């Protein structure tokens, strides 16, 4: 998770929300990393998880990431949860919950939906306070000191992506 936090810290340099992700091979080797790049690239799919999964697939030479673990600082959204299921990762480890958009147990539970053909193990709350603090600080600094998204109330401490 510390590597994912380091990766997340790179995102604000381009105006992106600090979310970082790391894909680990079965033996713990880092296959790929990613951080949010939506603002940098103008790509709505430029979430840390999607970028890390793409890079890990390229490194492996296969879209199937069976045996791999994705570690991410913020609970995946529905898009990212779908990508995790489709990539066949074995495990998802995340730090901070996202009560407004989380799809790994908070708002939805896409990754463990029994109707889908693959359900990765989910481990949550790893360095949760540190992950949440990084996000809250970003939104506080970028949105006039409230730590909230424009036009929204508090998000259980997390303003979202």
């Amino acid at each position: 998770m510390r590597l994912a936090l380091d990766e997340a810290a790179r995102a604000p340099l381009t105006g992106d929300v600090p979310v970082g992700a790391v894909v680990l091979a079965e033996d713990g080797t880092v296959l790929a990393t990613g951080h949010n790049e939506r603002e940098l690239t103008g790509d709505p799919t430029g979430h840390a998880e999607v970028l890390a999964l793409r890079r890990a697939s390229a490194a492996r030479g296969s879209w199937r990431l069976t045996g791999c673990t994705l570690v991410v600082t913020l609970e995946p959204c529905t898009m990212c949860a779908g990508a995790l299921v489709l990539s066949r990762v074995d495990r998802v480890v995340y730090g901070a919950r996202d009560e407004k958009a989380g799809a790994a147990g908070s708002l939805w539970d896409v990754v463990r939906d029994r109707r889908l053909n693959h359900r990765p193990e989910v481990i949550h709350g790893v360095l949760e306070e540190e992950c949440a603090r990084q996000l809250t600080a970003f939104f506080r600094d970028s949105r006039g000191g409230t730590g909230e998204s424009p036009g929204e109330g508090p998000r259980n401490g997390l303003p979202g992506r």
Side-chain angles (χ1 to χ4, degrees), residues 1-21 34-36 48 73 130-131 134-135 138:
M1 186 60 76
R2 295 234 182 262
L3 183 55
L5 281 162
D6 290 345
E7 189 68 25
R10 297 175 59 199
L13 300 174
T14 57
D16 281 288
V17 176
V19 177
H35 60 271
N36 278 357
T73 58
E130 194 169 337
C131 292
Q134 189 178 48
L135 287 158
F138 172 80

Side-chain angles (χ1 to χ4, degrees), residues 114-134:
R114 293 186 182 277
R115 296 169 292 182
L116 299 175
N117 65 339
H118 179 74
R119 289 178 297 283
E121 174 187 10
V122 176
I123 300 168
H124 63 87
V126 177
L127 297 180
E128 182 173 14
E129 289 181 22
E130 194 169 337
C131 292
R133 209 171 22 251
Q134 189 178 48

Side-chain angles (χ1 to χ4, degrees), residues 21 26 31 34 52 58-59 77 84 87 92-93 96 102 104 107 112 124 153:
E26 300 90 332
L31 287 176
C77 68
L84 291 164
S87 70
V92 178
V93 178
L107 185 58
R112 291 180 285 203
H124 63 87

